[in-house]
Amino acid sequence: MVSRCTYPLYLTACMLFLSIVGSVSAKTFKWQEVKISGRRYIPANSISEFYRFHKKSIEGNVIRFIYYDARGKTKLTMTARVGSQTLMMNTIKFILSYPVTKHKGHFVFSRLDLCKLIDPVLRPKSIVKGPVFDTVVIDPGHGGHDSGAACALGKESNFALNTANHLKRELQKRGYKVVMTRTSDRFITLGNRVKFANRYKNAIFISLHYNSGQSAASGIETFALSPQGSSSTYTGRRSSDYLNFEGNGNDGENIALSTAIHAGAIKSLPGTKDRGIKRARWNVLTGLKIPGTLYEGGFLSNSREARKIASESYRKQIAKALAEGIENYKEALIKKRRR
């Protein structure tokens, strides 16, 4: 039952969806639920009814939920395909924990995805456990002998540190207290990065990285910690999927922050491929006591993207986009508290 989901969140950066859908009372709504191979699923009809979508259309294996504004213009679309873990909300890409499937002719979504992604995005509630954050912990990935990804134009560790310095200045201009896990090209273990971050209260954590892969791979992707019972995007299913990590205490904040960061970057960096908001159990996320996210700002293995990343002006653009995403996240939390 959605009413038992304990991690509601607003959505989103750039105010894409913020509170634009309604919902019926979670206490009185009678959810339909089916079990498939021991996993619980919610039919699309229940989702459409609960969130008061104005229209639900089906074309073959594609389902689309549509919400209109008062003038009849499309305000939000949510699109999914049977067999796929991709969920599109307007132009922002999310990766579900489990593929959408069909059961007796009906589209169904995993209950875990409903509680940990769809419900938080579409039905904002207060997610503030204490004071709204005033501190940002920036974690420039790699460092020292661990240079991370590399290309002819430079190393990930240096690009990440430079981006972090630009982000620090952007955030300080906005009045935030900013601390960094490293301020020079030195190696710090993942465990020590987490210990450093956990010293700060009323804070959020953002780990900055650049990617590597096949030469054609491109785009940005942002990671929130996988919820308990969910697989990770790149590793498939493991025994650790059913462990409850320290960082899972902030599941709602994690996905909200990740969405804010990601949507802000997509909006402010035109032409950037959206690889999606994804799930992972990275070590810098599992042990966090504060909300956190990991941002991958492009591929150094892609010659075109590497040239952009190597540009100081582009890294400044990234930093400004991330700062705006963080600001949008905070503004949403403040608005929710005032309600």
Side-chain angles (χ1 to χ4, degrees):
M1 296 295 293
V2 173
S3 60
R4 295 181 186 173
C5 296
T6 57
Y7 304 107
L9 40 129
Y10 85 104
L11 188 90
T12 166
C14 313
M15 305 308 172
L16 289 179
F17 315 120
L18 185 59
S19 281
I20 67 172
V21 300
S23 68
V24 300
S25 170
K27 293 181 179 179
T28 60
F29 188 76
K30 294 183 178 180
W31 286 89
Q32 301 173 45
E33 186 175 289
V34 298
K35 276 194 175 182
I36 304 174
S37 301
R39 187 170 297 121
R40 298 158 76 180
Y41 286 82
I42 306 296
N45 288 341
S46 275
I47 294 172
S48 182
E49 182 182 351
F50 180 76
Y51 296 109
R52 292 180 174 170
F53 279 102
H54 295 110
K55 183 179 180 180
K56 175 172 65 70
S57 66
I58 295 174
E59 296 180 11
N61 284 328
V62 175
I63 185 167
R64 181 172 289 108
F65 303 85
I66 305 172
Y67 190 89
Y68 299 109
D69 64 17
R71 293 175 294 177
K73 292 185 64 176
T74 299
K75 187 72 172 178
L76 168 67
T77 61
M78 186 171 79
T79 308
R81 179 186 295 272
V82 169
S84 173
Q85 289 176 248
T86 297
L87 179 73
M88 297 296 300
M89 292 194 182
N90 288 353
T91 60
I92 302 300
K93 182 179 181 180
F94 295 83
I95 306 301
L96 298 169
S97 295
Y98 296 99
V100 177
T101 189
K102 269 187 177 181
H103 179 74
K104 296 182 179 179
H106 297 283
F107 284 74
V108 292
F109 294 74
S110 82
R111 184 185 181 279
L112 186 145
D113 282 312
L114 179 66
C115 288
K116 296 294 187 177
L117 197 158
I118 296 173
D119 186 63
V121 165
L122 297 183
R123 192 168 61 99
K125 295 178 180 177
S126 174
I127 62 170
V128 183
K129 300 182 180 74
V132 175
F133 72 94
D134 58 14
T135 301
V136 180
V137 181
I138 305 175
D139 174 46
H142 305 282
H145 69 268
D146 176 17
S147 60
C151 66
L153 300 173
K155 300 183 294 185
E156 177 186 0
S157 55
N158 291 337
F159 291 142
L161 180 59
N162 180 262
T163 306
N165 284 324
H166 288 305
L167 177 57
K168 179 179 180 179
R169 287 190 283 271
E170 287 288 341
L171 291 170
Q172 286 176 329
K173 287 191 294 186
R174 291 165 167 82
Y176 293 96
K177 176 183 177 182
V178 183
V179 293
M180 293 169 50
T181 58
R182 67 179 179 95
T183 56
S184 62
D185 186 20
R186 66 191 184 97
F187 176 75
I188 302 174
T189 67
L190 298 176
N192 282 334
R193 293 170 193 255
V194 172
K195 288 179 182 177
F196 177 86
N198 285 341
R199 296 177 196 165
Y200 296 91
K201 309 297 181 183
N202 306 328
I204 61 171
F205 174 91
I206 175 170
S207 189
L208 300 179
H209 292 258
Y210 291 98
N211 226 329
S212 183
Q214 296 181 348
S215 61
S218 66
I220 64 171
E221 52 193 19
T222 306
F223 290 88
L225 178 63
S226 303
Q228 185 179 16
S230 166
S231 61
S232 296
T233 301
Y234 290 130
T235 60
R237 298 204 60 75
R238 292 183 174 181
S239 59
S240 61
D241 294 354
Y242 292 94
L243 297 178
N244 187 42
F245 292 95
E246 185 88 49
N248 289 126
N250 292 306
D251 275 345
E253 291 92 334
N254 295 338
I255 192 66
L257 176 60
S258 297
T259 300
I261 291 295
H262 190 83
I266 291 295
K267 179 187 176 185
S268 300
L269 302 172
T272 300
K273 181 179 179 180
D274 181 358
R275 294 176 62 88
I277 299 163
K278 300 180 176 180
R279 301 290 197 173
R281 291 185 175 87
W282 305 133
N283 288 339
V284 292
L285 299 180
T286 56
L288 288 175
K289 296 179 181 179
I290 59 176
T293 186
L294 187 147
Y295 175 79
E296 294 272 11
F299 282 76
L300 291 175
S301 51
N302 181 298
S303 58
R304 179 185 62 82
E305 257 183 14
R307 286 192 296 272
K308 289 168 63 177
I309 293 166
S311 164
E312 186 86 13
S313 61
Y314 184 70
R315 294 195 297 273
K316 287 182 179 179
Q317 270 186 277
I318 293 174
K320 187 173 182 179
L322 298 180
E324 289 176 354
I326 289 169
E327 186 76 348
N328 285 336
Y329 171 63
K330 185 173 185 179
E331 281 299 309
L333 295 181
I334 292 172
K335 286 181 179 179
K336 293 182 68 51
R337 170 158 287 193
R338 288 172 181 164
R339 288 177 186 175

